[in-house]
Amino acid sequence: MNIKHRNGIYTIDSISVKEIAEKFGTPCFVYSDLSISRNFEEIRDVFSDDKKSIYYSVKANSSLSILKLLSSLGSGFDIVSMGELDRVIKIGADPKKIVYSGVGKSEKDIKRSIELGIYCINVESFSELERIKKIASELKIKAPVAIRVNPNIDPGSHEYISTGLESTKFGINLKNMMDAFIYADEAEYIDLIGIDYHIGSQIETLDPFIEAVSSVAKIIKELKKKDINLELIDMGGGLGIDYEGNKVPSMKEYGNALIKAIKDNNLEEYKIILELGRSIVGNAGYLLTKVEYIKRDSEKNYVIVDAGMDNLIRPALYGAWHNIICASIDSNEEILCDVVGPVCECADFLGKDRKLSVSQDDILIITSCGAYASSMASNYNSRPKPPEVMIKNSEVKLISNKESIEDLFSREIII
Ligand code: LLP
């Protein structure tokens, strides 16, 4: 972690947290350019050559500055919407380094992706394949596709983010996938380039990743028997991060384990893409928030802060745990408390049953907020989104202004 504590002062990349909060206000997202770069470089250094590439999964954090940073480090991009496509095009990404996943691509989305010449459309259903075939034939442009298969592997993470189980909406299941491959292979305007899977997110052990590689190797063998030859295996993302002292494999261990699995399964001839999100940005971001009130009740103590579930929905949605640190060193005794936001929902909590030594107006640091925090934020309770800053070369730079109430009104028409 790049957060340090010395002589009563908490710093992120040597910059005082309190100073950031004073200058930019709270709540405020803070990212470390250094940590993002280090995370990306750690995996790139083991898993990148003319066959293997890292594609950043834009949904984890779609800030333009973060996309630009990753692009400059050589990343490709995994997108799931036209909004994400617009973002990566805006920062100058090469369409040939974009893959497009998602179960609900509209006709317009497909047309635009084909015309733009993105590297690959990851197809999630038979009807999507039929739609791509129709659009590509009309355009008379071959659409590059990979079939997303659902290998029915339990990644051992939260039910909502276990996408590789047969019971989810993602990918084509093992029973039906062969028909999809054959259909794609025979279609004149479809260029069947690969196979794709993404078994889930916040995966904390290597076994499910290894199991997925051997499962896909078997499918590729079957395809070869039918004379269907692919060039690409998109292995998705999913590597977990350390939220609460949980041991997770390092990027290097993960990369090396995949390389071994690729070799053991004789897949070295294929291009491989990894679509990583959380492991690149998750631990490189923080949410700073101020204590508004401390409410002491006989049943429970509440530390009421100015950030809420609109800024960080993960605790409410998945029961996720984020570390909460008080940036001021208080001499007060620790209290057992729930850290809650101002939003009018019982689910508006950022941490439950924490032991904190806090006073009113203290700044709290919520860690591991680089992924799926600002990108999942909302305006619930008409709360404008907070500013976002990035620490780069020992300077704190604003990368996203605080939203104004006028921004919120701007789409509305009073009738
Ligand atoms: N590729 C595909 C097709 C995905 O659906 C995802 C994430 C990724 C790659 C990147 O996965 P990562 O490396 O970040 O695990 N909101 C949840 C996580 C949802 C993940 C959705 N898909 C959370 O806050 O935990």
Side-chain angles (χ1 to χ4, degrees):
M1 260 214 302
N2 49 344
I3 183 159
K4 290 213 170 68
H5 169 220
R6 198 181 293 147
N7 303 330
I9 296 175
Y10 270 98
T11 58
I12 301 171
D13 290 350
S14 310
I15 310 268
S16 151
V17 166
K18 271 188 168 171
E19 277 171 30
I20 301 174
E22 268 159 31
K23 183 161 179 202
F24 296 95
T26 54
C28 174
F29 283 105
V30 182
Y31 306 112
S32 159
D33 175 278
L34 191 68
S35 298
I36 297 174
S37 307
R38 276 199 194 136
N39 292 339
F40 184 82
E41 282 160 2
E42 189 181 335
I43 186 69
R44 189 190 65 188
D45 290 351
V46 286
F47 202 89
S48 191
D49 55 30
D50 57 338
K51 291 255 181 236
K52 304 187 199 76
S53 325
I54 312 297
Y55 279 41
Y56 171 65
S57 191
V58 176
K59 65 178 84 61
N61 187 317
S62 40
S63 151
L64 294 173
S65 296
I66 291 177
L67 300 179
K68 187 165 159 249
L69 166 63
L70 290 167
S71 179
S72 74
L73 296 173
S75 185
F77 295 98
D78 154 48
I79 59 155
V80 290
S81 71
M82 289 298 103
E84 290 188 353
L85 179 64
D86 285 325
R87 284 183 172 271
V88 296
I89 294 298
K90 170 110 182 144
I91 58 98
D94 177 359
K96 282 274 157 272
K97 284 172 85 173
I98 296 173
V99 294
Y100 179 20
S101 316
V103 294
K105 304 177 190 85
S106 73
E107 284 197 10
K108 250 181 156 174
D109 303 344
I110 291 169
K111 183 163 184 270
R112 180 162 175 225
S113 315
I114 297 174
E115 284 177 330
L116 200 63
I118 68 169
Y119 177 49
C120 188
I121 303 176
N122 291 336
V123 177
E124 307 244 8
S125 64
F126 201 90
S127 18
E128 182 185 333
L129 203 51
E130 289 175 322
R131 183 176 264 185
I132 293 175
K133 178 180 161 178
K134 178 175 160 279
I135 296 168
S137 313
E138 280 160 16
L139 292 172
K140 300 211 173 345
I141 307 173
K142 269 196 159 195
V145 309
I147 305 292
R148 177 167 176 179
V149 298
N150 192 325
N152 198 24
I153 289 170
D154 185 354
S157 45
H158 191 279
E159 167 195 6
Y160 290 2
I161 53 177
S162 295
T163 45
L165 288 170
E166 210 174 82
S167 51
T168 70
K169 66 179 176 180
F170 299 100
I172 302 181
N173 64 27
L174 297 175
K175 207 170 90 229
N176 298 328
M177 60 157 194
M178 202 45 87
D179 289 345
F181 278 108
I182 294 169
Y183 182 89
D185 188 54
E186 286 173 355
E188 190 186 351
Y189 282 101
I190 288 183
D191 187 9
L192 174 62
I193 61 172
I195 183 164
D196 163 53
Y197 61 88
H198 169 76
I199 55 172
S201 196
Q202 187 54 21
I203 301 172
E204 300 183 359
T205 58
L206 293 172
D207 294 348
F209 294 112
I210 311 300
E211 199 186 328
V213 175
S214 43
S215 158
V216 161
K218 284 187 202 121
I219 300 174
I220 287 179
K221 229 185 206 164
E222 287 305 304
L223 290 169
K224 272 190 170 167
K225 281 190 207 154
K226 296 196 176 346
D227 206 23
I228 298 178
N229 297 298
L230 309 175
E231 66 172 47
L232 168 74
I233 308 172
D234 180 339
M235 298 186 170
L239 180 63
I241 59 168
D242 177 359
Y243 280 102
E244 50 175 327
N246 49 318
K247 176 109 185 63
V248 286
S250 68
M251 283 284 210
K252 201 169 160 188
E253 288 165 335
Y254 165 74
N256 284 331
L258 286 182
I259 290 171
K260 182 169 180 304
I262 291 165
K263 191 160 175 242
D264 292 349
N265 287 283
N266 296 316
L267 298 172
E268 281 162 309
E269 72 196 82
Y270 295 93
K271 280 192 193 165
I272 312 281
I273 285 178
L274 301 183
E275 302 170 349
L276 294 174
R278 188 189 323 256
S279 49
I280 294 175
V281 291
N283 276 336
Y286 304 85
L287 176 59
L288 307 188
T289 183
K290 193 179 82 176
V291 176
E292 297 287 8
Y293 301 101
I294 297 173
K295 186 169 162 182
R296 289 170 191 271
D297 259 336
S298 50
E299 287 284 304
K300 201 152 218 181
N301 297 309
Y302 292 98
V303 170
I304 302 166
V305 297
D306 63 1
M309 66 191 297
D310 53 320
N311 311 120
L312 177 65
I313 201 174
R314 301 194 70 258
L317 193 55
Y318 317 109
W321 196 96
H322 287 254
N323 196 12
I324 302 177
I325 302 167
C326 184
S328 323
I329 308 302
D330 268 289
S331 48
N332 296 341
E333 60 174 295
E334 280 186 343
I335 53 166
L336 183 66
C337 58
D338 284 4
V339 178
V340 299
V343 171
C344 299
E345 294 268 349
C346 295
D348 182 30
F349 64 91
L350 301 170
K352 282 195 170 173
D353 298 324
R354 303 302 173 91
K355 276 193 176 146
L356 288 174
S357 158
V358 278
S359 308
Q360 195 168 30
D361 295 332
D362 277 352
I363 300 299
L364 302 186
I365 308 163
I366 306 174
T367 66
S368 311
C369 283
Y372 306 112
S374 72
S375 62
M376 293 179 80
S378 75
N379 290 115
Y380 188 37
N381 280 197
S382 281
R383 286 172 32 95
K385 289 183 184 155
E388 298 179 57
V389 302
M390 173 103 89
I391 304 176
K392 185 174 182 170
N393 302 327
S394 306
E395 265 184 70
V396 189
K397 298 194 168 163
L398 187 66
I399 60 166
S400 187
N401 279 306
K402 178 176 161 53
E403 204 168 27
S404 68
I405 198 70
E406 287 73 31
D407 291 331
L408 292 189
F409 292 164
S410 66
R411 284 182 311 120
E412 292 186 41
I413 302 132
I414 302 173
I415 55 164

